Amino acid sequence: MSRPDVVRTSTAELYDAHVLKNYGRPALTLVRGSGSHVWDDQGTQYLDFTSGIAVSALGHCHPHWVAAVQRQAGELIHVSNLFRNPNQGELARRIVGYAGPGRVFFCNSGAEANEALLKLARLHGMKKAGGEEGKIYKVICAKNAFHGRTFGGMSATPQEKIQKGFRPLVPGFAFGELNNLASFEELIDGQTAAIFIETIQGESGVNPVTTEFLLGLRELCNRHNLLLILDEVQCGIGRTGKFYAYEHTGVRPDAIGMAKGLGGGFPIGAVWIGEKSAELYQPGMHGTTFGGTPLACAAALAVLDVLEREQLMEKVTVRSAVWHRELEQLVSEFPSQVLGVRGRGYLVGVQLASDPTPCLVAAREAGLLAVFAGNNVMRLLPPLTATSAELTRSVEILRSVFATKK
Ligand SMILES: *Cc1c(COP(=O)(O)O)cnc(C)c1O
């Protein structure tokens, strides 16, 4: 029997024909990954310093993660929150172990985590107003922030390219200048419920909060009875060498949003709420069908297992110190192109003099995948498992890119 002719349509053609055009047109079709590397459909290998935008914390297809997900997929995948499942309980315990006494809510993405946090701010405001709704509801965020694409997250994201076309936004957001305490303080009024910021701004070009600033915000929140809420969706889960990036400052938040690295590639988000505010959420007030499934939590537990067993945070700290110094050398070698290096651990922004797109293309052609960030920044997000040799290789590739452009 002869096989019918199969009309081969390329993935690029399928995308062009059928996938919504909300993203820019991707340059590559990726078909396989292992550790810090991915391969495209032409068989070309790349050093992947995008990690799926800070998601693939253990690199691609870590054997422990694969085994855990395969095992769980054959046992129990989804039951909804009509029922308990052991993995959700255990994962909540582990997150409380990192964040401190409190409670955890599970969802499926960073934006969803932030929605739960913004709703928490409303609940806090209502309590502050003696139970009256809609009186105290304002949230102060930072300029250049990114908190996701839902209505709440977008309203907390003061960027024209994010908000354009979708107004009117959720009311009640005000924006201070990151690391300028006075600019936040002057926005506080009788209607303010919370301050909500990224510990390290990722999308807008890797801008960390200073310890002094975060300490100041903590003090303002204490004085005015506001919640201090941190978006650790990108910078959390070991990426900076500590489990949460705020741990570098010694400041304790009232609530935390996390997602990206938590599932190691499986979609999961989570919110930790400290014990003082956790009871604001009562039965029926919030929920999501997919939150905290046995499978998603198995993936996240596998990430935490490997993070601990392989001492990845210690490795990130040690290896990144050398890597940052190597990257800094590019500033002195190519002063007209490379203006600086920022960030912490494996969350790094290379400040360029102009739009990073040509350098990202050249790096890709030389075998290194990196991520665009706002304000002329090239973002490097290696998996937490990346070795010193791989980090050094990324610098060599970037050197060749800048040398050719010179
Ligand atoms: C990516 C990101 C989000 C949004 O997460 P999604 O999973 O894309 O919804 C929110 N906040 C920060 C800081 C992020 O980096």
Side-chain angles (χ1 to χ4, degrees):
M1 242 172 77
S2 66
R3 275 180 39 192
D5 278 345
V6 179
V7 181
R8 290 271 301 169
T9 310
S10 77
T11 302
E13 285 166 340
L14 291 173
Y15 267 63
D16 289 345
H18 305 297
V19 175
L20 197 72
K21 294 183 172 178
N22 58 316
Y23 301 109
R25 194 175 188 275
L28 300 177
T29 300
L30 299 180
V31 295
R32 190 162 68 85
S34 176
S36 300
H37 293 93
V38 287
W39 286 263
D40 70 9
D41 56 354
Q42 308 299 305
T44 308
Q45 175 184 308
Y46 300 89
L47 183 58
D48 181 10
F49 276 21
T50 70
S51 297
I53 319 184
V55 166
S56 310
L58 308 182
H60 296 281
C61 304
H62 189 287
H64 177 80
W65 188 96
V66 171
V69 170
Q70 283 179 340
R71 197 182 322 113
Q72 190 62 50
E75 203 165 283
L76 186 66
I77 295 169
H78 172 85
V79 293
S80 87
N81 289 290
L82 294 172
F83 306 97
R84 284 187 287 271
N85 77 78
N87 290 353
Q88 183 175 148
E90 174 60 12
L91 183 58
R93 184 184 76 80
R94 298 275 285 272
I95 289 173
V96 165
Y98 281 112
R103 293 182 175 276
V104 183
F105 163 75
F106 291 104
C107 52
N108 311 286
S109 68
E112 271 185 66
N114 289 341
E115 291 301 309
L117 291 168
L118 293 171
K119 287 172 77 171
L120 177 76
R122 293 274 175 108
L123 294 176
H124 176 74
M126 187 165 75
K127 182 181 170 192
K128 201 175 156 185
E132 214 179 321
E133 193 174 3
K135 283 264 180 217
I136 297 179
Y137 64 96
K138 289 186 184 168
V139 177
I140 304 173
C141 301
K143 289 176 183 163
N144 287 311
F146 180 81
H147 296 295
R149 305 292 198 132
T150 52
F151 267 100
M154 178 173 68
S155 303
T157 298
Q159 297 183 40
E160 187 61 16
K161 67 176 184 205
I162 305 278
Q163 297 180 342
K164 190 172 169 46
F166 301 110
R167 298 184 175 99
L169 302 171
V170 177
F173 290 93
F175 301 95
E177 198 85 46
L178 193 75
N179 292 328
N180 177 339
L181 193 62
S183 77
F184 273 68
E185 186 166 15
E186 69 193 20
L187 293 172
I188 297 172
D189 62 23
Q191 295 181 306
T192 307
I195 292 177
F196 177 48
I197 59 163
E198 292 158 271
T199 319
I200 300 178
Q201 290 185 337
E203 296 304 308
S204 68
V206 189
N207 304 302
V209 293
T210 63
T211 296
E212 189 189 18
F213 175 68
L214 202 57
L215 269 169
L217 289 185
R218 179 70 274 176
E219 215 171 275
L220 285 177
C221 287
N222 292 350
R223 193 170 348 132
H224 297 276
N225 187 16
L226 317 176
L227 293 183
L228 178 60
I229 307 177
L230 294 180
D231 179 346
E232 291 250 350
V233 168
Q234 186 158 161
C235 58
I237 324 294
R239 181 146 291 278
T240 66
K242 301 248 189 226
F243 193 77
Y244 295 114
Y246 72 77
E247 291 175 50
H248 293 284
T249 69
V251 175
R252 305 297 303 264
D254 298 304
I256 309 163
M258 64 208 94
K260 290 192 166 95
L262 181 59
F266 201 95
I268 182 170
V271 163
W272 170 90
I273 304 174
E275 56 188 350
K276 276 210 312 242
S277 305
E279 307 302 324
L280 289 171
Y281 271 117
Q282 289 296 312
M285 293 173 84
H286 194 55
T288 172
T289 305
F290 289 112
T293 69
L295 188 57
C297 293
L301 285 167
V303 169
L304 300 187
D305 286 346
V306 174
L307 204 65
E308 291 164 16
R309 273 189 224 161
E310 297 187 10
Q311 300 183 303
L312 292 182
M313 292 189 273
E314 291 82 346
K315 286 178 179 159
V316 165
T317 303
V318 171
R319 291 168 177 173
S320 68
V322 179
W323 184 44
H324 293 181
R325 277 201 298 277
E326 292 172 342
L327 286 166
E328 294 278 0
Q329 282 169 14
L330 299 175
V331 181
S332 39
E333 287 170 41
F334 307 100
S336 64
Q337 295 182 68
V338 188
L339 305 185
V341 178
R342 287 193 299 273
R344 197 138 208 175
Y346 284 9
L347 171 52
V348 162
V350 180
Q351 178 71 58
L352 303 182
S354 55
D355 182 355
T357 306
C359 288
L360 288 168
V361 171
R364 184 177 76 225
E365 285 166 356
L368 171 70
L369 304 181
V371 194
F372 182 93
N375 303 303
N376 297 337
V377 171
M378 176 193 276
R379 212 170 358 153
L380 299 171
L381 300 164
L384 307 185
T385 48
T387 63
S388 298
E390 288 164 344
L391 298 174
T392 299
R393 178 82 192 115
S394 75
V395 181
E396 283 165 3
I397 292 176
L398 290 178
R399 177 173 288 115
S400 75
V401 165
F402 296 128
T404 324
K405 260 196 84 194
K406 205 155 134 182

